[in-house]
Amino acid sequence: MSWKPVTIIQTADGKNQCPVVDTNNDGFWRIYYSHRDENKYSHTSYIDVEAGNPEKLIQKSQTPILSPGKAGEVDTSGAMATSILTMNDSLKYMYYIGWTQRKDVPYYNTTCLAVSEDGNTWNKVGPILSPCIHDSGYSGTFYPILNKSKTEYTALYLSCFEWIDGDPRYNLKRAISKDGVNWTKTLDVAIDITPEEGGVSQASILYNSIQGVYQLWYSVRDKYDFRTNPKHSYRIRYAESFDLISWTKVQDSIYDINPDSQNFMGFDEIMCAYPCVVKHEDTLFMFYNGNGFGDTGIGVLRWE
């Protein structure tokens, strides 16, 4: 069993960063992604593909569903989708990254929430995670999942704890919620990094009821030279947990960068990042970005 390439999805928006797939639709999957305008500010749009057949494109949003906010707001420089949660048949929660610019470091992120009843019109609720005395850096990517007893949501979020030479370092920490809106940071580090690594980003979690285990896919990069060097750039890894608290890293278990035998020529021989894994019937599909943080489109893999 292994991950096999299916297709590459590209749009006319340039960068197609951080795919977020909503499978809770009638016969189609909605893939949200981030792209940038002439000011390099992030917007979120979507494309629809046939459920279980991501090679068949159905339609694309005519305008972004999330765009930068007003001056002084936490998303004034960008609004980037990072995960979606269907609460019931008529309500969806989208967790997104609000971008701002600062003078001391290049940017600052805040995890935010938007809500929708149809997946087309989204209303921003506001920021949901803030710095605290024990977790003073910014929060970024965010992935929630309802526990198997359906009593509480757990989310793994990117937590920045330092900057080195203009680049942030971050791990994945844990937050909990009863309603998906009000979140409490536990300060538990779910996935940490080594001294050589620079960051862990974009969790994607599924619950395997047969094995009774939570499955986690995430991307990790090194501290330096990670933008164009395949030896140090993002790659996708896998971990497991029985309680959503303690995670065991599983090595060499997933499709990875291999410059000597390229998977999609010109797409991911340098970088594999930002996984989003969904289940369709008995099959897993992984959506992810390759080189340039999404410059080359959205790759799709199938577990065979």
Side-chain angles (χ1 to χ4, degrees):
M1 300 288 287
S2 61
W3 291 100
K4 300 295 185 182
V6 175
T7 189
I8 300 173
I9 300 173
Q10 295 177 317
T11 72
D13 296 319
K15 188 181 290 291
N16 304 156
Q17 192 171 5
C18 201
V20 174
V21 185
D22 181 10
T23 61
N24 292 286
N25 300 287
D26 187 14
F28 68 92
W29 293 345
R30 178 153 291 178
I31 306 169
Y32 298 91
Y33 63 94
S34 175
H35 53 95
R36 294 180 179 175
D37 60 23
E38 63 277 6
N39 297 316
K40 296 186 177 181
Y41 290 176
S42 295
H43 301 249
T44 295
S45 294
Y46 69 77
I47 51 176
D48 293 339
V49 301
E50 186 177 280
N53 183 21
E55 296 173 275
K56 186 174 181 180
L57 304 183
I58 299 174
Q59 68 171 348
K60 178 184 180 297
S61 57
Q62 298 301 307
T63 58
I65 56 96
L66 286 178
S67 290
K70 299 177 182 178
E73 296 181 335
V74 296
D75 58 358
T76 185
S77 297
M80 175 187 290
T82 183
S83 61
I84 193 166
L85 191 65
T86 298
M87 302 304 293
N88 52 50
D89 293 337
S90 62
L91 187 62
K92 297 177 184 290
Y93 285 179
M94 179 179 288
Y95 301 91
Y96 73 95
I97 302 170
W99 291 74
T100 53
Q101 296 177 332
R102 287 174 48 160
K103 291 184 177 180
D104 54 339
V105 293
Y107 63 87
Y108 194 85
N109 289 163
T110 304
T111 307
C112 303
L113 173 66
V115 300
S116 175
E117 294 185 352
D118 58 8
N120 295 306
T121 302
W122 290 85
N123 297 308
K124 295 178 180 179
V125 175
I128 59 170
L129 293 181
S130 300
C132 65
I133 59 173
H134 301 294
D135 190 26
S136 60
Y138 74 68
S139 59
T141 60
F142 183 95
Y143 192 95
I145 184 172
L146 186 62
N147 64 14
K148 60 185 177 182
S149 61
K150 298 183 179 181
T151 57
E152 184 177 74
Y153 292 96
T154 288
L156 299 190
Y157 69 95
L158 181 157
S159 175
C160 174
F161 57 86
E162 69 175 344
W163 288 79
I164 297 180
D165 297 333
D167 288 315
R169 299 188 73 219
Y170 38 80
N171 51 26
L172 290 181
K173 290 185 178 179
R174 191 172 67 94
I176 55 175
S177 173
K178 293 295 185 181
D179 58 8
V181 177
N182 300 286
W183 291 86
T184 300
K185 294 181 176 182
T186 67
L187 304 180
D188 300 333
V189 177
I191 300 292
D192 209 351
I193 57 176
T194 67
E196 294 76 25
E197 292 172 338
V200 184
S201 179
Q202 192 57 4
S204 182
I205 309 172
L206 293 179
Y207 179 64
N208 186 325
S209 59
I210 297 176
Q211 299 179 3
V213 65
Y214 296 95
Q215 300 174 288
L216 166 65
W217 293 265
Y218 59 97
S219 54
V220 59
R221 64 166 174 83
D222 284 348
K223 190 187 304 182
Y224 300 110
D225 196 23
F226 58 87
R227 290 178 174 84
T228 58
N229 189 334
K231 293 182 179 180
H232 303 290
S233 191
Y234 271 114
R235 71 281 304 185
I236 297 172
R237 291 289 181 257
Y238 173 75
E240 295 179 342
S241 174
F242 291 98
D243 58 8
L244 289 171
I245 301 174
S246 300
W247 293 88
T248 300
K249 297 179 181 179
V250 180
Q251 300 298 321
D252 301 324
S253 59
I254 119 133
Y255 178 93
D256 205 353
I257 297 170
N258 186 348
D260 296 325
S261 80
Q262 297 172 352
N263 304 314
F264 289 153
M265 185 69 70
F267 176 76
D268 62 3
E269 70 272 19
I270 296 174
M271 178 184 299
C272 293
Y274 313 134
C276 178
V277 180
V278 299
K279 186 175 182 180
H280 178 69
E281 297 176 347
D282 293 326
T283 303
L284 297 182
F285 289 85
M286 177 184 290
F287 297 76
Y288 72 107
N289 286 139
N291 305 340
F293 308 93
D295 283 345
T296 51
I298 299 169
V300 186
L301 307 176
R302 180 189 293 113
W303 179 253
E304 295 181 349

